[in-house]
């Protein structure tokens, strides 16, 4: 394989940084993003560097964080905004390479092997990317560089994040001086259980793992043991694949309703709207899915009155009515007639839609042409330009939502 240049870009204190970029009045204050400030409940989802200086840590209880820092500003999470900013950052990355793979909401892999002629050497590209992210979103990003994904990931976690330059290139030829002296738990893939096991057998550093025989590791952990040994040697052939994340997670859409819905008829209107949106997005990405899941919750999000169930479809689809038939059955089978306030549909096990089974019983070509035409109209004139008549009923939300928020995010 030709030598590659891979980046792992990580957003510093992502949720907190998004909030600070949006509100200059909190820019110089210690802030956390956390559950519910009024009720002092919940955990810290993100802390800005100023809050961290007080000892506040991610995932601790909010009341504990507030004890450590009296003037702590608590901001409620706005997940839809974070997803939007994350996608905005993906777009920036995509102007440097078409090989961008979101790894989590605040970490993305980039393969910039082919970008050198246009943008320069890896360190120059990294600086350009960091500058654009900072200018366009106000967020600091740290970049680990390596010849593959595990090296880029470990370069970021163990070095780029720890140093003020924010960029680190972890080279395979230097591992003995850079990576190997680090404690074993800094090896990508080693959790707390593995760490305890390694300590029991006298292995404390990554270098010691590298020097074990792969057979010893395989005997203990099977294929994962072999991967661990390869990781310690900086070996990893996995490609940066733009689709994997999406293909695994599927395409979902979710609505919180303005009031409790009580009847199957009302709920089905919403389910159809959700299926429409999920399928529209699947089609826009040329994907079809073969597993559908549906779920709902009541108004009191603290007590578990709801469910989430999935089923395998007869064949992959991105047709709203096909999806809706499955979703409708699935919902009816599991719904206990409790009031519904929040409801979602997800389509997963996605595949590219350029291969599909022609069915003898349905005219799929026509269905596809119709869906494509409707998608085109909506893309041009807005989601409310073409609605199913059912969405005009009182229980429908599509028209109102299209007008109010013009898409799927607030
Ligand atoms: Mg981060």
């Amino acid at each position: 394989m030709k030598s590659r240049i891979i980046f792992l870009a990580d957003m510093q204190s992502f949720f907190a940084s998004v909030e600070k970029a949006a509100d200059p009045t909190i820019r110089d204050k210690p802030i956390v993003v956390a559950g519910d400030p009024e009720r002092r409940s919940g955990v810290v989802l993100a802390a800005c560097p100023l809050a961290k200086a007080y000892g506040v840590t991610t995932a601790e209880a909010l009341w504990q964080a507030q004890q450590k820092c009296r003037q702590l500003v608590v901001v409620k999470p706005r997940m839809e905004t974070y997803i939007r900013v994350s996608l905005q950052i993906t777009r920036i990355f995509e102007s440097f390479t078409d090989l961008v793979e979101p790894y989590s909401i605040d970490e993305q892999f980039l393969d910039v092997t082919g970008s050198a002629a246009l943008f320069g050497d890896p360190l120059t590209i990294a600086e350009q990317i960091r500058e654009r992210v900072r200018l366009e979103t106000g967020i600091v990003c740290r970049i680990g560089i390596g010849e593959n994904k595990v090296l880029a990931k470990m370069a970021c976690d163990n070095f780029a994040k720890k140093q003020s330059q924010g960029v680190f290139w972890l080279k395979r030829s230097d591992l003995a001086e850079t990576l190997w002296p680090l404690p074993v738990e800094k090896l990508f893939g080693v959790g707390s259980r593995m760490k305890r096991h390694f300590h029991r057998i006298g292995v404390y550093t990554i270098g010691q793992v590298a020097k074990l025989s792969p057979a010893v590791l395989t005997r203990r952990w099977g294929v994962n043991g072999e991967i661990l040994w390869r990781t310690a040697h900086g070996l990893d052939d996995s490609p940066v694949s733009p689709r994997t994340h999406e293909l695994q997670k599927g395409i979902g859409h979710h609505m919180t309703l303005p009031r409790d819905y009580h009847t199957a008829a009302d709920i089905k209107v919403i389910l159809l709207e959700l299926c429409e949106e999920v399928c529209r997005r699947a089609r826009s990405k040329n994907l079809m899915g073969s597993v559908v899941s549906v779920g709902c919750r009541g108004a009191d999000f603290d007590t578990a009155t709801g469910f989430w169930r999935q089923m395998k479809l007869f064949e992959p689809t991105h047709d709203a009515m096909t999806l809706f038939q499955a979703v409708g059955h699935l919902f009816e089978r599991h719904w206990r007639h409790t009031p519904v306030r929040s409801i979602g549909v997800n389509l997963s096990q996605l595949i590219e839609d350029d291969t599909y089974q022609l069915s003898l019983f349905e005219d799929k070509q026509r269905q596809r042409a119709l869906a494509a035409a409707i998608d085109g109209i909506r893309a041009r004139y807005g989601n409310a330009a073409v609605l199913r008549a059912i969405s005009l009923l009182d229980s429908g939300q599509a028209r109102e939502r299209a007008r109010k928020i013009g898409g799927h995010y607030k």
Side-chain angles (χ1 to χ4, degrees):
M1 189 188 277
K2 178 177 172 289
S3 177
R4 299 178 294 158
I5 302 287
I6 310 299
F7 286 4
L8 188 271
D10 166 89
M11 306 308 133
Q12 183 174 32
S13 311
F14 182 55
F15 300 169
S17 302
V18 171
E19 297 300 341
K20 286 197 173 194
D23 179 1
T25 66
I26 57 172
R27 204 155 290 167
D28 301 320
K29 295 182 179 157
I31 78 157
V32 291
V33 175
D36 189 342
E38 280 89 58
R39 294 164 54 196
R40 275 170 55 92
S41 67
V43 295
V44 172
L45 298 174
C48 75
L50 290 175
K52 282 181 181 160
Y54 284 90
V56 173
T57 56
T58 304
E60 76 178 328
L62 180 57
W63 64 266
Q64 276 173 328
Q66 285 170 317
Q67 270 180 357
K68 289 177 183 168
C69 176
R70 293 282 165 200
Q71 63 272 50
L72 192 65
V73 177
V74 182
V75 183
K76 266 193 193 174
R78 297 183 298 152
M79 291 313 288
E80 288 167 336
T81 303
Y82 308 147
I83 293 168
R84 188 168 45 70
V85 176
S86 180
L87 289 170
Q88 187 189 350
I89 292 167
T90 305
R91 297 291 102 79
I92 296 174
F93 294 162
E94 284 170 349
S95 66
F96 290 88
T97 170
D98 55 345
L99 295 173
V100 179
E101 177 184 337
Y103 179 65
S104 69
I105 191 162
D106 70 337
E107 290 180 49
Q108 313 196 25
F109 284 109
L110 293 77
D111 184 334
V112 297
T113 310
S115 312
L118 275 169
F119 300 102
D121 64 89
L123 292 170
T124 309
I125 299 175
E127 281 314 324
Q128 291 176 59
I129 287 178
R130 297 183 73 217
E131 184 66 2
R132 278 204 48 202
V133 172
R134 195 183 59 75
L135 285 175
E136 292 176 32
T137 69
I139 292 165
V140 174
C141 91
R142 284 82 57 93
I143 295 179
I145 308 175
E147 65 183 69
N148 54 44
K149 285 159 86 173
V150 292
L151 282 174
K153 173 74 175 149
M154 291 190 293
C156 189
D157 289 350
N158 295 321
F159 302 100
K161 283 184 183 180
K162 308 279 153 81
Q163 296 171 354
S164 55
Q165 306 93 296
V167 176
F168 190 88
W169 193 345
L170 185 56
K171 293 182 178 164
R172 228 161 68 75
S173 51
D174 304 337
L175 290 186
E177 295 85 56
T178 50
L179 190 68
W180 288 4
L182 297 181
V184 65
E185 66 270 25
K186 301 288 180 188
L187 182 63
F188 180 65
V190 172
S192 55
R193 256 189 62 209
M194 272 189 179
K195 173 185 154 183
R196 282 200 302 277
H197 175 81
F198 276 126
H199 284 188
R200 271 201 303 278
I201 62 171
V203 170
Y204 295 92
T205 67
I206 296 178
Q208 286 178 287
V209 178
K211 282 166 198 147
L212 290 173
S213 132
V216 169
L217 292 161
T218 311
R219 218 173 299 134
R220 182 67 176 77
W221 284 298
V223 66
N224 286 332
E226 192 193 325
I227 292 172
L228 225 48
W229 185 88
R230 288 174 55 82
T231 304
H233 285 270
L235 298 167
D236 171 24
D237 294 329
S238 66
V240 173
S241 33
R243 281 284 171 86
T244 46
H245 191 67
E246 188 175 61
L247 295 182
Q248 280 161 11
K249 286 197 64 177
I251 295 173
H253 198 55
H254 165 269
M255 264 189 224
T256 300
L257 303 167
R259 57 180 168 83
D260 286 342
Y261 278 39
H262 298 276
T263 70
D266 280 354
I267 292 167
K268 283 199 167 171
V269 175
I270 298 297
L271 286 175
L272 179 56
E273 290 179 356
L274 289 169
C275 290
E276 290 258 20
E277 176 62 13
V278 164
C279 289
R280 185 190 64 75
R281 278 160 55 191
R283 287 191 300 266
S284 76
K285 294 168 174 175
N286 302 311
L287 295 171
M288 297 189 295
S290 53
V291 169
V292 61
S293 50
V294 60
C296 69
R297 298 180 83 171
D300 182 1
F301 292 148
D302 289 338
T303 55
T305 61
F307 62 85
W308 193 265
R309 288 287 186 283
Q310 70 171 42
M311 68 179 276
K312 183 128 175 102
L313 299 168
F314 183 59
E315 59 185 345
T317 189
H318 54 193
D319 173 64
M321 287 314 288
T322 309
L323 190 64
F324 174 66
Q325 276 172 11
V327 163
H329 285 308
L330 197 55
F331 191 89
E332 263 177 332
R333 202 178 322 143
H334 297 287
W335 183 44
R336 297 285 165 260
H337 298 274
T338 51
V340 170
R341 181 59 77 86
S342 148
I343 188 161
V345 166
N346 191 72
L347 182 63
S348 58
Q349 277 196 20
L350 301 172
I351 56 161
E352 307 281 340
D353 71 354
D354 47 10
T355 51
Y356 62 97
Q357 286 253 291
L358 286 173
S359 162
L360 294 173
F361 305 105
E362 293 165 274
D363 189 348
K364 288 204 179 155
Q365 308 276 12
R366 276 196 65 196
Q367 272 177 19
R368 286 184 160 222
L370 175 63
I374 292 174
D375 290 345
I377 293 170
R378 285 181 175 159
R380 225 163 135 183
Y381 301 106
N383 275 346
V386 185
L387 291 171
R388 284 187 195 273
I390 200 170
S391 284
L392 301 179
L393 295 175
D394 269 356
S395 45
Q397 290 296 314
R399 188 165 55 147
E400 185 64 12
R401 288 171 66 88
R403 206 175 39 165
K404 267 205 310 224
I405 54 179
H408 21 283
Y409 300 125
K410 277 181 215 144

